[in-house]
Amino acid sequence: MYHLLKPLIFLLDPEKAHKATMTLLDTACAVPPVHFIMQRMFCSGDEALSTNVMGLRFANPVGLAAGFDKDGKHISSLASLGFGFIEVGTVTPIAQEGNPKPRLFRLPADKALINRMGFNNEGLDALVRRLKKWRERNTDTKLIIGGNIGKNKLTPNENAEQDYLTCFGALFPWVDYFVVNVSSPNTPGLRELQEKEPLTKLLLLLQEKNRSTGKPKPVLLKIAPDLTDTQLDEIADIVRSTEIAGVIATNTTVSRNNLSTPPGITDSIGAGGLSGSPLRERSTQVIRRLREKLGTHAAIIGVGGVEDASSAREKLDAGANLVQVYSGLVYQGPAMVKNILKGISPSFS
Ligand SMILES: Cc1cc2nc3c(=O)[nH]c(=O)nc-3n(C[C@H](O)[C@H](O)[C@H](O)COP(=O)(O)O)c2cc1C
């Protein structure tokens, strides 16, 4: 079915196509029998796929990556596509427009996307309101919700900690785990927060606030695939010293290597983070290196170019406990999670 719809969807501007498909999905899911049929079609009830990670019980190991539902507007509809977990955000304390459009581009020859969205989001208060409502309506849910937090573009790096702490505090009652995003290439200077000193300070402050709640929640760090091996080893040390729960590897890359799309096209698109198939190998390398350095110490969520069972299995074999998808959903459509789960089920452990 999706292979028939995809050429039509791909006629639209990518950001408009995203909005249109989400409206279509929400409309379909608002009709109870359709919602029921979708759950039957796309959700796996296979108990063997459930897994305990970071003290949380995931119904299956495939999640939706941050950025797809930044404002938490479509959680129920997206859950009907079979995800074990959904990460909302990146949210910033104050609503912001993000970068001028166009800012999202498809590279069909590479099954890839380039985006420079720039943390467009409706702000923390709007997300908290939606999550609260969603929790009230879904008291018996098994879906795990992650909250991915960032800083506003206008907040200088010296004051970034306050933005992260504000998001952490307000989201705390409504999410199951947190992700500290210091790796988006689209907020100027953000990735400098991946350096040892500011990162350690930021994570220690968040952990202090986390412990002060009496019931701390898992905090993960989302990293860029463009870090050197030395920087990755430093990240592993920071994970240990700050005692955070784990790492999400990886965000999008600024590299344009190994693409089938002609350089003339990527040059004309300009700056942004590349995601999808071309990121697959690098993000797997990052996972493998981190797992070697961390031992069994922390959780790793693998993301980057996951689109089918073999790409998901590759991440799990490299040491990831869970995987996430974004670009794969655009290219493979709504049956993707079910297909991945079918493929990894016999050997999942
Ligand atoms: C349009 C778009 C927006 C994104 N927004 C965010 C974001 O707000 N926060 C974040 O941590 N990652 C964001 N990402 C990165 C994804 O979560 C993911 O790490 C990356 O796309 C690699 O996965 P993929 O190859 O499955 O797409 C975004 C990716 C895309 C394509």
Side-chain angles (χ1 to χ4, degrees), residues 290-301:
L290 283 175
R291 181 51 79 207
E292 270 169 29
K293 296 288 158 189
L294 288 169
T296 54
H297 182 74
I300 298 177
I301 301 183

Side-chain angles (χ1 to χ4, degrees), residues 65-67 70 89-90 104 113 115 117 119 148 181 222 250-252 275-276 279 303-306 324-328:
K70 287 177 191 276
T90 299
L104 177 58
L113 300 171
N115 90 83
M117 306 301 284
F119 288 172
N148 182 309
N181 183 6
K222 185 160 178 178
T250 65
N251 213 315
T252 55
S275 58
L279 180 58
V303 53
V306 173
Q324 287 179 325
V325 297
Y326 189 130
S327 307

Side-chain angles (χ1 to χ4, degrees), residues 250-272:
T250 65
N251 213 315
T252 55
T253 177
V254 292
S255 158
R256 299 289 186 266
N257 292 337
N258 307 320
L259 292 179
S260 305
T261 305
I265 294 184
T266 47
D267 288 350
S268 70
I269 289 172

Side-chain angles (χ1 to χ4, degrees), residues 4-5 18 29 36 41 54 62 70 81 84 113 128 135-136 149 165 186 199 202 228 245 252 258 279 314 325 339:
L4 296 175
L5 272 179
H18 181 78
C29 289
F36 177 76
M41 273 170 72
M54 308 180 291
V62 180
K70 287 177 191 276
L81 302 185
L113 300 171
V128 166
R135 289 275 178 210
E136 282 162 5
I149 58 178
L165 286 166
N186 302 314
L199 185 57
L202 172 63
T228 61
T252 55
N258 307 320
L279 180 58
E314 178 183 291
V325 297
N339 290 337

